[in-house]
């Protein structure tokens, strides 16, 4: 425990632009700026966005050491979710499990947890296997065809999560959701990084665009929910959402809450998985021997490759909390009202825990390794960790094994250009040649 005397002043960090602080650097190259900050200042780095003083000043502290991450994730009494990024997400996708807070969140989490038990999730293995086979059977037009891995993986992940949710495929909605995702993501990020944010009710061009895209997204989801209702209850998550009740109070979810959960599962549940699979396949696509072992049925290696893919390219590459009261991180004073950012992208490259950090090496996740719990946190941690973790891992390993058993994947580019949006995505196509084994 840090005693009062041990508390050093504020954390060190770059000053950046005199008026805008580090906002331009983050906008230009967020990942590079965070890594450079870590390299230069170490485990705790303070960034300023906006002017040095005054009401527009925003202070952000980034904590990179696993011990600090542990503390931030597991002490919700000190660190809440009431941050800009989550506010902006709420404006875009409503108040589902990802964006709710306090009592509302607790009730929702209690109500939804039974939908994601390992037994329930195992029940989706069959549809995941069918969808993986569909991708493997139908993707390349001919042996040796070049595909966009990201497009394939988005299609797979969206079909899996929509079948799990609705009990059938929602093919007509898939391309529309796929088109909307980068637009929403772009809007969310632009709004998060804005120093002055007008309320959405003000008719700025961006606010109008957000309202329009949000309406389009709700229309898609409402349409799916209405058709589902006509068909009657089945063995799917949406039927379970309708009948789910809070185990403590017996209270069901409201119609609006159900829609917001559907949206969260659709969005949180496909972008992330698609990204993780794309990056993993790109890396395996440069390492034929490793790939051959996964193709040969080494299930532990498939899992390790996916974990290693998410180490280098964590789809949820940053998250943040708000210090609700004065706090201390690694001996530095963190005043109430500070945004505390955690970045899996940076900590997953911490040289103390990850030797030769840029090398893709799944053996880091096979066998036993001594490492602090929060040296690796692609699914977050503490009470608000990802509810879909088992679902995503099962879905991911099923796809890797099915696709690689069928094809040799040869990635055409040495590296993927990254686009840090709401999730970490490839900046464009991820080209690979598929050759029948
Ligand atoms: C590789 C795939 C995935 C990754 C990397 C991932 C990552 C994460 C992370 C890091 C968080 C915590 C965010 C924070 O603390 O700020 C989170 C929360 C969440 N994830 Fe995932 N996720 C994945 C797949 C899924 C899937 C498949 C679903 C649902 C079907 C899902 C639904 C959610 C929900 C609802 C939350 C909010 C939980 C809460 O606050 O109680 N995720 N995810």
């Amino acid at each position: 425990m840090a005693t009062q005397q041990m508390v050093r002043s504020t954390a060190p960090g770059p000053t950046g632009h005199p008026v805008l602080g580090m906002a331009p650097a983050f906008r230009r190259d967020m990942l590079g700026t965070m890594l450079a900050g870590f390299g230069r200042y170490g485990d705790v780095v303070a960034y300023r966005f906006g002017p040095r003083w005054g009401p527009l000043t925003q202070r952000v502290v980034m904590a990179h050491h696993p011990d600090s991450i542990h503390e931030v994730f597991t002490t919700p009494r000190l660190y809440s979710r009431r941050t800009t990024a989550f506010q902006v997400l709420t404006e875009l996708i409503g108040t589902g499990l990802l964006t709710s807070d306090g009592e509302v969140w607790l009730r929702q989490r209690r109500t939804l947890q039974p939908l994601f038990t390992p037994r329930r999730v195992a029940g989706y293995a069959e549809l995941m296997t069918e969808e993986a086979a569909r991708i493997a059977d139908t993707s390349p037009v001919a042996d040796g065809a070049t595909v966009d891995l990201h497009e394939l993986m988005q299609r797979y992940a969206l079909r899996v999560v929509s079948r799990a949710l609705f009990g059938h495929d929602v093919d007509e909605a898939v391309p529309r959701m796929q088109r909307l995702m980068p637009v929403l993501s772009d809007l969310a990020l632009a709004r998060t990084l804005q120093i002055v944010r007008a309320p959405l009710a003000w008719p700025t061009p961006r606010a109008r665009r957000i309202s329009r895209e949000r309406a389009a997204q709700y229309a898609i989801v409402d349409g799916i929910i209405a058709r589902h209702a006509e068909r009657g209850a089945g063995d799917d998550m949406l039927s379970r959402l309708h009948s789910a009740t809070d185990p403590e109070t017996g209270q069901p979810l409201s119609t609006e809450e159900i829609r917001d959960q559907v949206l969260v599962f659709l969005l949180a549940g496909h972008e992330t998985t698609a990204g993780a699979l794309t990056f993993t396949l790109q890396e395996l696509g440069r390492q034929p021997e490793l790939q051959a072992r996964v193709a040969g049925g080494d299930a532990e290696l498939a899992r390790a490759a996916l974990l290693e893919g998410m180490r280098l390219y964590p789809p949820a590459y940053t998250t943040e909390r708000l210090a609700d009261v004065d706090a201390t991180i690694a001996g530095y004073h963190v005043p109430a009202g500070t945004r505390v950012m955690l970045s899996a992208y940076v900590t997953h490259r911490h040289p103390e825990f990850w030797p030769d950090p840029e090398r893709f090496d799944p053996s880091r996740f096979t066998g036993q390794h001594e490492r602090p719990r929060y040296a690796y946190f692609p699914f977050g941690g503490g009470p608000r960790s990802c509810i879909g973790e088992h679902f995503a891992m099962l879905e991911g390993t099923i796809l890797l094994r099915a696709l690689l058993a069928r094809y040799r994947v040869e990635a055409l580019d040495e590296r993927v250009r990254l686009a840090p949006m709401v999730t970490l995505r490839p900046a464009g196509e991820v080209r690979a040649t598929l050759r029948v084994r």
Side-chain angles (χ1 to χ4, degrees):
M1 272 317 249
T3 61
Q4 212 47 42
Q5 295 92 307
M6 283 166 63
V7 174
R8 284 167 278 175
S9 52
T10 45
T15 44
H17 185 274
V19 178
L20 303 170
M22 291 300 286
F26 268 71
R27 234 175 255 148
R28 201 168 44 239
D29 176 12
M30 187 167 183
L31 301 173
T33 304
M34 292 190 307
L35 273 184
F38 170 59
R40 170 119 195 244
Y41 300 98
D43 285 334
V44 188
V45 190
Y47 295 96
R48 170 177 59 81
F49 297 94
R52 241 179 267 276
W53 297 281
L56 295 181
T57 305
Q58 287 178 34
R59 295 195 190 281
V60 171
V61 165
M62 291 205 71
H64 299 307
H65 194 278
D67 294 347
S68 308
I69 289 155
H70 191 151
E71 204 170 309
V72 173
F73 270 141
T74 59
T75 327
R77 174 173 60 78
L78 300 181
Y79 301 102
S80 79
R81 273 287 245 264
R82 286 182 286 274
T83 66
T84 316
F86 282 110
Q87 263 166 23
V88 169
L89 262 185
T90 308
E91 291 169 352
L92 283 167
I93 63 172
T95 316
L97 190 61
L98 184 66
T99 48
S100 58
D101 200 19
E103 275 303 307
V104 174
W105 168 78
L106 189 61
R107 181 176 54 76
Q108 290 187 349
R109 181 91 190 197
R110 276 197 310 251
T111 311
L112 297 172
Q113 194 69 52
L115 274 63
F116 289 92
T117 59
R119 192 176 61 86
R120 277 261 188 265
V121 168
Y124 298 117
E126 198 180 318
L127 75 86
M128 290 168 179
T129 306
E130 281 170 23
E131 290 302 328
R134 178 195 292 266
I135 292 289
D137 290 344
T138 61
S139 36
V141 249
D143 184 20
T146 297
V147 296
D148 173 8
L149 288 175
H150 190 222
E151 195 277 325
L152 273 189
M153 293 306 106
Q154 279 184 308
R155 188 147 31 104
Y156 169 67
L158 196 50
R159 285 188 56 95
V160 166
V161 75
S162 56
R163 274 189 65 187
L165 266 171
F166 308 117
H168 63 104
D169 53 56
V170 284
D171 258 355
E172 84 291 3
V174 168
R176 286 161 69 201
M177 283 305 273
Q178 270 178 333
R179 189 194 61 75
L180 265 183
M181 275 316 296
V183 179
L184 283 169
S185 194
D186 212 7
L187 285 169
L189 194 70
R191 191 159 160 79
T192 306
L193 289 179
Q194 233 173 358
I195 290 170
V196 187
R197 249 178 314 280
L200 273 190
W202 294 10
T204 64
R206 187 177 292 141
R208 271 207 297 265
R209 180 113 195 270
I210 289 180
S211 305
R212 205 169 52 235
E213 299 296 347
R214 190 181 47 191
Q217 158 189 270
Y218 275 146
I220 297 175
V221 173
D222 285 343
I224 300 173
I225 295 179
R227 279 192 298 285
H228 181 270
E230 284 162 19
R231 216 173 281 116
D235 188 25
D236 53 63
M237 265 190 217
L238 181 52
S239 304
R240 292 200 186 98
L241 279 172
H242 281 295
S243 53
T245 52
D246 179 345
E248 287 195 7
T249 63
Q251 192 183 346
L253 296 167
S254 70
T255 310
E256 219 168 64
E257 270 180 321
I258 290 177
R259 179 185 60 188
D260 287 349
Q261 308 305 345
V262 167
L263 206 51
V264 164
F265 292 159
L266 268 179
L267 300 186
H270 96 272
E271 267 253 310
T272 44
T273 317
L277 279 169
T278 305
F279 293 125
T280 304
L281 280 170
Q282 152 76 21
E283 288 290 346
L284 286 173
R286 314 284 309 167
Q287 303 206 28
E289 321 78 56
L290 260 179
Q291 204 185 119
R293 283 170 54 204
V294 177
D298 185 338
E300 194 202 4
L301 189 62
R303 185 173 171 280
L306 187 58
L307 293 174
E308 176 69 346
M310 288 192 291
R311 182 185 67 81
L312 281 172
Y313 310 105
Y317 62 103
T318 57
T319 186
E320 58 179 52
R321 298 291 189 267
L322 188 74
D324 276 340
V325 292
D326 284 356
T328 304
I329 292 182
Y332 289 107
H333 177 59
V334 176
T338 305
R339 274 162 70 191
V340 178
M341 267 178 86
L342 311 177
S343 171
Y345 186 84
V346 174
T347 301
H348 290 181
R349 287 169 167 75
H350 201 306
E352 214 179 294
F353 312 104
W354 305 104
D356 197 0
E358 292 295 339
R359 194 161 54 91
F360 178 82
D361 176 8
S363 76
R364 300 181 203 262
F365 292 98
T366 52
Q368 291 294 315
H369 296 273
E370 285 291 313
R371 227 176 260 143
R373 159 68 183 89
Y374 285 99
Y376 184 70
F377 56 101
F379 294 104
R384 301 218 53 163
S385 66
C386 179
I387 203 168
E389 174 174 353
H390 298 303
F391 188 99
M393 287 304 297
L394 188 63
E395 172 184 16
T397 44
I398 285 177
L399 183 283
L400 286 180
R401 296 178 65 191
L403 191 71
L404 297 180
R406 185 82 191 261
Y407 298 103
R408 261 187 303 126
V409 175
E410 297 169 6
L412 297 186
D413 303 303
E414 198 167 326
R415 291 231 149 225
V416 180
R417 265 191 319 121
L418 302 176
M421 313 282 270
V422 169
T423 65
L424 189 62
R425 300 164 57 103
E429 290 192 348
V430 180
R431 296 175 311 136
T433 304
L434 303 190
R435 297 196 191 283
V436 176
R437 272 186 197 279

